[in-house]
Amino acid sequence: MSHDVIMPALGMAQDSGLLVSWFKQSGDAVAIGDALFEVETDKATMEVEAQHAGFLTQVAAKSGDEVPVGQVIAVIAASQDAAVPIASVAEEQPPQFAAKEDALPEGQSIIMPALGMTQDTGLLVNWLKQPGDAVSADEVLFEVETDKSTMEVTAGVDGFVAALLAAAGEDVPVGHDVAIISSAKPETLMQRTRGDVPTPAAAPSLPATQSPVAPPPGDLKRTEKRQLQPKSSRILASPKTRRLAYERGLDLQKLVEAGHVQPYHVSDLAALQNISADTPVSIAAPALRRLTAKISAVPFGEIMSFVSEKSSGPTAGAVISGLAAGAWASGGSDLIVAYRHFSTTQLFSNPHGIGLGKALPDQANVEAQLLINDLRQSAISSIENCSDGLPTLTILSQGDQFSFTFECGAGQISADAALSFLTEFAGRMEQPLRHLL
Amino acid sequence: MREITLSTAVNEAIAEEMRRDETIFLIGEDVAEAGTPFKITSGLVEEFGTDRVIDTPIAEPGFMGIAVGAAMTGSRPIVDLMFGDFIFLIMDQLCNQAAKTHYMSGGKLNVPLVLRTNMGATRRSAAQHSQSLHAIVAHIPGLKVAMPSSALEAKGLLKTAIRDNNPVVIFEDKLMYQDKAEVPEGELLIPFGVANVKREGSDITLVGTSSMVQVAEKAAEILAAEGISAEVIDPRTIVPLDMDTINTSVRKTSRCIVIDEGHQSFGITSEIASRIMEQSFYHLDGPVIRMGAMDVPIPFSPALEDITVPTPEGVVAVARRLMAGEMINVS
């Protein structure tokens, strides 16, 4: 004759109880009055006694389960044979283990992190979580032995351990997968060693839903900090330090990155001020390239006086921008030139870099790529650092010569390109006819 | 200026007030001919007679009740409780009757009573005669609590207490009765709720009560030699408590230690530290550290007794760590 063991009614207002622990295991003999399990109620932890004698079977709830009052959680059977464990009330079937050759479970791949400058494998010392375990991002997942010491590696993501792909004691190359963490409780688990898979994939081409958690590029010291220590979201600092940092627009994170030991106090702000001063927010004077050239102004002058007699002849701006476009190695695309002369700026488009530039209407919504300062008729005799962001070509007259100054940011144009541009432009300005026709 | 002992200062205060107001009387154990074991009230019975300087049997609840009733009916009693530890015997009379009568009578009744008692350890008087229980009565709404730190405060605060129409408990440090201080002649009334900055400083604030003010001052001397400038504040009265002075100081220094002879836990230091934390949070460059007596019954063994209460060296050690920005765990 078997008898159900139920979660008893515990109090007026309670409709479930937390099963703290079992005192008997499935298959144990029980006598009337034996303590079977402990339940935690609002007020206290109570022992529940067996009401019948027999053997404890069909245990359907485990320690930690919240069980509704009245639910059957075990059966006291006449004989031990009835001891067939059934699924726990709180869960579905426990996850099954997949065969080792099966496809990997879905989830975030966890790799062996980079550990040191000279190390390309790490000895996986032991796992602190098992397949099926829940894990949070800053919990330690496994330990790795490096040249210097044993390091703890945190999971890095919240979730459940779906797969362990290396065994304790194995050497794993840096960057190779060692585990998979799924966001939802996995139905299929996998546990295998590196030896199980004959040719382990170096880069994950596996059915992982996201790219693996790889150490970010950059200096290795920072990588170690991020991978091998628990994530700390808080910076410890006194209230006054925080307030003053906020008022002065300083970022305490910089102290962390500079390696200052926490907690931070007002006296640390001096150091923070220095750090912040060393890394200016805006780059005041970017590295500039500056090239100059000199050619005879005569040929250009002759062409222009010939052209100006014609009523529909091209303007100097069109000619000059056309020549500049021709010199500019723009790879076939249109070069938009801003041509400034007598304090008016005219945009020219130069498709294909051949011929004359085409004047664009003032409302044209295009960005110029080159600024040409035509100062031939001005009193200015030399300029330096006079460009406002755009590569700038300035034309100055000196007697019967032209002086060209080309300035650009080091990041805008390579040295070679700058050299060839000015050389080409100077050459074209010396023989304009040849290049216009 | 003349220097007098704390004992003399108390005697002067009582005598001057009793001369001024004939409704004032003194009641307690051995207050008349014996002048109390500490010899504080010597000469008073000779001047004012046994109607106004009343010896009682060893019956604290009884004579406290008499005093409360007398206070409610037009007298102004000064009750002498021989040891602060005996306050437990009179808690109902003090905290349920004296403290609440004015409120519960809708303002119709006043209890202008002064309870004079003492506190302070290191006298080798063991656990039941060495307690500093001011925190317990400070917790009760309706009672004022004064804590003189020298003869000057003893006289000035006592006179103010006697003239207050509310029940006031004034705790004198029994170790200080023979300590001298400068006390001006003539009328001396120290207002309640006004703290005294005993020493100015800029690096750290030391708030001390009663004899701990002297501990703080000695600590400040030691710290000054190390280049640390400590400000010492004596609140003088716990209820009412002058937080303005304390806050102003903490906002200047950004660091604070509160030192009191009551037990570390659930006491005066905790209250003051909490208020500082609440009111000056963004000015703190370190935690407010509490230093009280250890949470143990005061030992009889001299060696043990001496280490259960805060000392100047102990304060200095904590102050150094606070200045260095260390994490301090004084639980």
Side-chain angles (χ1 to χ4, degrees), chain B residues 175-195:
Chain B
L175 279 302
M176 287 175 63
Y177 280 130
Q178 300 313 312
D179 289 357
K180 285 194 176 163
E182 284 189 350
V183 182
E185 309 257 18
E187 189 64 275
L188 177 62
L189 289 166
I190 294 181
F192 285 1
V194 178

PDB file of all heavy atoms in Angstrom, chain B residues 175-195:
ATOM      1  N   LEU B 175      35.579  60.834  36.968  1.00  0.00           N
ATOM      2  CA  LEU B 175      37.031  60.911  37.059  1.00  0.00           C
ATOM      3  C   LEU B 175      37.534  62.356  37.062  1.00  0.00           C
ATOM      4  O   LEU B 175      38.701  62.602  37.292  1.00  0.00           O
ATOM      5  CB  LEU B 175      37.684  60.197  35.861  1.00  0.00           C
ATOM      6  CG  LEU B 175      37.833  58.677  35.881  1.00  0.00           C
ATOM      7  CD1 LEU B 175      38.629  58.230  37.086  1.00  0.00           C
ATOM      8  CD2 LEU B 175      36.498  57.969  35.857  1.00  0.00           C
ATOM      9  N   MET B 176      36.617  63.280  36.785  1.00  0.00           N
ATOM     10  CA  MET B 176      37.065  64.656  36.579  1.00  0.00           C
ATOM     11  C   MET B 176      36.744  65.575  37.747  1.00  0.00           C
ATOM     12  O   MET B 176      36.988  66.775  37.674  1.00  0.00           O
ATOM     13  CB  MET B 176      36.413  65.217  35.309  1.00  0.00           C
ATOM     14  CG  MET B 176      36.990  64.627  34.041  1.00  0.00           C
ATOM     15  SD  MET B 176      36.104  65.199  32.579  1.00  0.00           S
ATOM     16  CE  MET B 176      36.440  66.932  32.648  1.00  0.00           C
ATOM     17  N   TYR B 177      36.149  65.022  38.791  1.00  0.00           N
ATOM     18  CA  TYR B 177      35.669  65.912  39.841  1.00  0.00           C
ATOM     19  C   TYR B 177      36.774  66.773  40.439  1.00  0.00           C
ATOM     20  O   TYR B 177      36.513  67.898  40.862  1.00  0.00           O
ATOM     21  CB  TYR B 177      34.962  65.119  40.953  1.00  0.00           C
ATOM     22  CG  TYR B 177      33.534  64.758  40.598  1.00  0.00           C
ATOM     23  CD1 TYR B 177      33.059  63.467  40.734  1.00  0.00           C
ATOM     24  CD2 TYR B 177      32.665  65.733  40.131  1.00  0.00           C
ATOM     25  CE1 TYR B 177      31.745  63.151  40.408  1.00  0.00           C
ATOM     26  CE2 TYR B 177      31.355  65.429  39.791  1.00  0.00           C
ATOM     27  CZ  TYR B 177      30.900  64.129  39.933  1.00  0.00           C
ATOM     28  OH  TYR B 177      29.610  63.829  39.620  1.00  0.00           O
ATOM     29  N   GLN B 178      37.992  66.285  40.443  1.00  0.00           N
ATOM     30  CA  GLN B 178      39.078  67.077  41.026  1.00  0.00           C
ATOM     31  C   GLN B 178      39.893  67.800  39.958  1.00  0.00           C
ATOM     32  O   GLN B 178      40.904  68.428  40.271  1.00  0.00           O
ATOM     33  CB  GLN B 178      39.998  66.188  41.867  1.00  0.00           C
ATOM     34  CG  GLN B 178      39.288  65.494  43.016  1.00  0.00           C
ATOM     35  CD  GLN B 178      38.409  66.455  43.811  1.00  0.00           C
ATOM     36  OE1 GLN B 178      38.852  67.548  44.191  1.00  0.00           O
ATOM     37  NE2 GLN B 178      37.159  66.074  44.033  1.00  0.00           N
ATOM     38  N   ASP B 179      39.467  67.726  38.696  1.00  0.00           N
ATOM     39  CA  ASP B 179      40.202  68.443  37.645  1.00  0.00           C
ATOM     40  C   ASP B 179      39.822  69.912  37.665  1.00  0.00           C
ATOM     41  O   ASP B 179      38.654  70.275  37.729  1.00  0.00           O
ATOM     42  CB  ASP B 179      39.860  67.850  36.268  1.00  0.00           C
ATOM     43  CG  ASP B 179      40.467  66.482  36.081  1.00  0.00           C
ATOM     44  OD1 ASP B 179      41.198  66.017  36.986  1.00  0.00           O
ATOM     45  OD2 ASP B 179      40.218  65.870  35.036  1.00  0.00           O
ATOM     46  N   LYS B 180      40.844  70.735  37.513  1.00  0.00           N
ATOM     47  CA  LYS B 180      40.603  72.175  37.597  1.00  0.00           C
ATOM     48  C   LYS B 180      40.498  72.768  36.207  1.00  0.00           C
ATOM     49  O   LYS B 180      41.093  72.285  35.238  1.00  0.00           O
ATOM     50  CB  LYS B 180      41.768  72.852  38.331  1.00  0.00           C
ATOM     51  CG  LYS B 180      41.761  72.626  39.814  1.00  0.00           C
ATOM     52  CD  LYS B 180      42.706  73.585  40.499  1.00  0.00           C
ATOM     53  CE  LYS B 180      42.583  73.385  42.021  1.00  0.00           C
ATOM     54  NZ  LYS B 180      43.711  73.959  42.747  1.00  0.00           N
ATOM     55  N   ALA B 181      39.771  73.852  36.138  1.00  0.00           N
ATOM     56  CA  ALA B 181      39.691  74.621  34.897  1.00  0.00           C
ATOM     57  C   ALA B 181      39.398  76.063  35.263  1.00  0.00           C
ATOM     58  O   ALA B 181      38.948  76.364  36.372  1.00  0.00           O
ATOM     59  CB  ALA B 181      38.601  74.068  33.994  1.00  0.00           C
ATOM     60  N   GLU B 182      39.631  76.924  34.305  1.00  0.00           N
ATOM     61  CA  GLU B 182      39.338  78.341  34.522  1.00  0.00           C
ATOM     62  C   GLU B 182      37.838  78.565  34.488  1.00  0.00           C
ATOM     63  O   GLU B 182      37.167  78.197  33.514  1.00  0.00           O
ATOM     64  CB  GLU B 182      40.007  79.181  33.428  1.00  0.00           C
ATOM     65  CG  GLU B 182      41.494  79.332  33.637  1.00  0.00           C
ATOM     66  CD  GLU B 182      42.094  80.337  32.684  1.00  0.00           C
ATOM     67  OE1 GLU B 182      41.399  80.775  31.755  1.00  0.00           O
ATOM     68  OE2 GLU B 182      43.281  80.686  32.875  1.00  0.00           O
ATOM     69  N   VAL B 183      37.316  79.130  35.560  1.00  0.00           N
ATOM     70  CA  VAL B 183      35.883  79.417  35.613  1.00  0.00           C
ATOM     71  C   VAL B 183      35.715  80.843  36.089  1.00  0.00           C
ATOM     72  O   VAL B 183      36.174  81.191  37.178  1.00  0.00           O
ATOM     73  CB  VAL B 183      35.154  78.456  36.578  1.00  0.00           C
ATOM     74  CG1 VAL B 183      33.658  78.749  36.576  1.00  0.00           C
ATOM     75  CG2 VAL B 183      35.412  77.010  36.193  1.00  0.00           C
ATOM     76  N   PRO B 184      35.093  81.678  35.270  1.00  0.00           N
ATOM     77  CA  PRO B 184      34.962  83.085  35.672  1.00  0.00           C
ATOM     78  C   PRO B 184      34.038  83.224  36.883  1.00  0.00           C
ATOM     79  O   PRO B 184      33.143  82.407  37.102  1.00  0.00           O
ATOM     80  CB  PRO B 184      34.356  83.756  34.433  1.00  0.00           C
ATOM     81  CG  PRO B 184      33.745  82.660  33.648  1.00  0.00           C
ATOM     82  CD  PRO B 184      34.502  81.414  33.959  1.00  0.00           C
ATOM     83  N   GLU B 185      34.292  84.273  37.634  1.00  0.00           N
ATOM     84  CA  GLU B 185      33.388  84.591  38.729  1.00  0.00           C
ATOM     85  C   GLU B 185      32.088  85.119  38.164  1.00  0.00           C
ATOM     86  O   GLU B 185      32.011  85.508  36.999  1.00  0.00           O
ATOM     87  CB  GLU B 185      34.017  85.706  39.608  1.00  0.00           C
ATOM     88  CG  GLU B 185      35.435  85.430  40.041  1.00  0.00           C
ATOM     89  CD  GLU B 185      35.504  84.982  41.476  1.00  0.00           C
ATOM     90  OE1 GLU B 185      34.463  84.563  42.031  1.00  0.00           O
ATOM     91  OE2 GLU B 185      36.610  85.046  42.057  1.00  0.00           O
ATOM     92  N   GLY B 186      31.106  85.120  38.994  1.00  0.00           N
ATOM     93  CA  GLY B 186      29.858  85.744  38.565  1.00  0.00           C
ATOM     94  C   GLY B 186      28.979  84.775  37.798  1.00  0.00           C
ATOM     95  O   GLY B 186      29.226  83.574  37.725  1.00  0.00           O
ATOM     96  N   GLU B 187      27.962  85.368  37.224  1.00  0.00           N
ATOM     97  CA  GLU B 187      26.950  84.550  36.575  1.00  0.00           C
ATOM     98  C   GLU B 187      27.552  83.828  35.370  1.00  0.00           C
ATOM     99  O   GLU B 187      28.316  84.405  34.594  1.00  0.00           O
ATOM    100  CB  GLU B 187      25.785  85.455  36.126  1.00  0.00           C
ATOM    101  CG  GLU B 187      24.579  84.695  35.629  1.00  0.00           C
ATOM    102  CD  GLU B 187      23.952  83.851  36.718  1.00  0.00           C
ATOM    103  OE1 GLU B 187      24.434  82.696  36.929  1.00  0.00           O
ATOM    104  OE2 GLU B 187      22.988  84.299  37.332  1.00  0.00           O
ATOM    105  N   LEU B 188      27.203  82.577  35.210  1.00  0.00           N
ATOM    106  CA  LEU B 188      27.729  81.788  34.101  1.00  0.00           C
ATOM    107  C   LEU B 188      26.618  80.856  33.616  1.00  0.00           C
ATOM    108  O   LEU B 188      26.254  79.913  34.300  1.00  0.00           O
ATOM    109  CB  LEU B 188      28.944  80.974  34.552  1.00  0.00           C
ATOM    110  CG  LEU B 188      29.546  80.052  33.491  1.00  0.00           C
ATOM    111  CD1 LEU B 188      30.072  80.831  32.297  1.00  0.00           C
ATOM    112  CD2 LEU B 188      30.674  79.210  34.086  1.00  0.00           C
ATOM    113  N   LEU B 189      26.090  81.178  32.469  1.00  0.00           N
ATOM    114  CA  LEU B 189      25.032  80.341  31.900  1.00  0.00           C
ATOM    115  C   LEU B 189      25.488  79.918  30.505  1.00  0.00           C
ATOM    116  O   LEU B 189      25.727  80.769  29.645  1.00  0.00           O
ATOM    117  CB  LEU B 189      23.710  81.123  31.792  1.00  0.00           C
ATOM    118  CG  LEU B 189      23.005  81.429  33.090  1.00  0.00           C
ATOM    119  CD1 LEU B 189      21.926  82.478  32.870  1.00  0.00           C
ATOM    120  CD2 LEU B 189      22.390  80.162  33.676  1.00  0.00           C
ATOM    121  N   ILE B 190      25.616  78.636  30.291  1.00  0.00           N
ATOM    122  CA  ILE B 190      25.987  78.140  28.962  1.00  0.00           C
ATOM    123  C   ILE B 190      24.717  77.626  28.301  1.00  0.00           C
ATOM    124  O   ILE B 190      24.045  76.744  28.850  1.00  0.00           O
ATOM    125  CB  ILE B 190      27.043  77.026  29.061  1.00  0.00           C
ATOM    126  CG1 ILE B 190      28.350  77.599  29.620  1.00  0.00           C
ATOM    127  CG2 ILE B 190      27.291  76.421  27.678  1.00  0.00           C
ATOM    128  CD1 ILE B 190      29.460  76.580  29.741  1.00  0.00           C
ATOM    129  N   PRO B 191      24.378  78.150  27.129  1.00  0.00           N
ATOM    130  CA  PRO B 191      23.120  77.733  26.485  1.00  0.00           C
ATOM    131  C   PRO B 191      23.206  76.290  25.984  1.00  0.00           C
ATOM    132  O   PRO B 191      24.278  75.792  25.628  1.00  0.00           O
ATOM    133  CB  PRO B 191      22.999  78.711  25.306  1.00  0.00           C
ATOM    134  CG  PRO B 191      24.387  79.149  25.032  1.00  0.00           C
ATOM    135  CD  PRO B 191      25.125  79.118  26.329  1.00  0.00           C
ATOM    136  N   PHE B 192      22.050  75.667  25.966  1.00  0.00           N
ATOM    137  CA  PHE B 192      21.971  74.327  25.399  1.00  0.00           C
ATOM    138  C   PHE B 192      21.968  74.417  23.875  1.00  0.00           C
ATOM    139  O   PHE B 192      21.497  75.394  23.289  1.00  0.00           O
ATOM    140  CB  PHE B 192      20.683  73.626  25.875  1.00  0.00           C
ATOM    141  CG  PHE B 192      20.746  73.149  27.297  1.00  0.00           C
ATOM    142  CD1 PHE B 192      21.872  73.349  28.094  1.00  0.00           C
ATOM    143  CD2 PHE B 192      19.662  72.489  27.852  1.00  0.00           C
ATOM    144  CE1 PHE B 192      21.920  72.896  29.397  1.00  0.00           C
ATOM    145  CE2 PHE B 192      19.696  72.031  29.161  1.00  0.00           C
ATOM    146  CZ  PHE B 192      20.825  72.236  29.943  1.00  0.00           C
ATOM    147  N   GLY B 193      22.470  73.390  23.222  1.00  0.00           N
ATOM    148  CA  GLY B 193      22.416  73.338  21.767  1.00  0.00           C
ATOM    149  C   GLY B 193      23.466  74.202  21.091  1.00  0.00           C
ATOM    150  O   GLY B 193      23.309  74.556  19.929  1.00  0.00           O
ATOM    151  N   VAL B 194      24.521  74.541  21.806  1.00  0.00           N
ATOM    152  CA  VAL B 194      25.588  75.321  21.184  1.00  0.00           C
ATOM    153  C   VAL B 194      26.906  74.604  21.450  1.00  0.00           C
ATOM    154  O   VAL B 194      27.359  74.517  22.600  1.00  0.00           O
ATOM    155  CB  VAL B 194      25.660  76.744  21.775  1.00  0.00           C
ATOM    156  CG1 VAL B 194      26.808  77.508  21.128  1.00  0.00           C
ATOM    157  CG2 VAL B 194      24.349  77.470  21.547  1.00  0.00           C
ATOM    158  N   ALA B 195      27.506  74.087  20.405  1.00  0.00           N
ATOM    159  CA  ALA B 195      28.760  73.362  20.573  1.00  0.00           C
ATOM    160  C   ALA B 195      29.912  74.347  20.692  1.00  0.00           C
ATOM    161  O   ALA B 195      29.811  75.500  20.276  1.00  0.00           O
ATOM    162  CB  ALA B 195      28.977  72.435  19.374  1.00  0.00           C
TER     163      ALA B 195
END
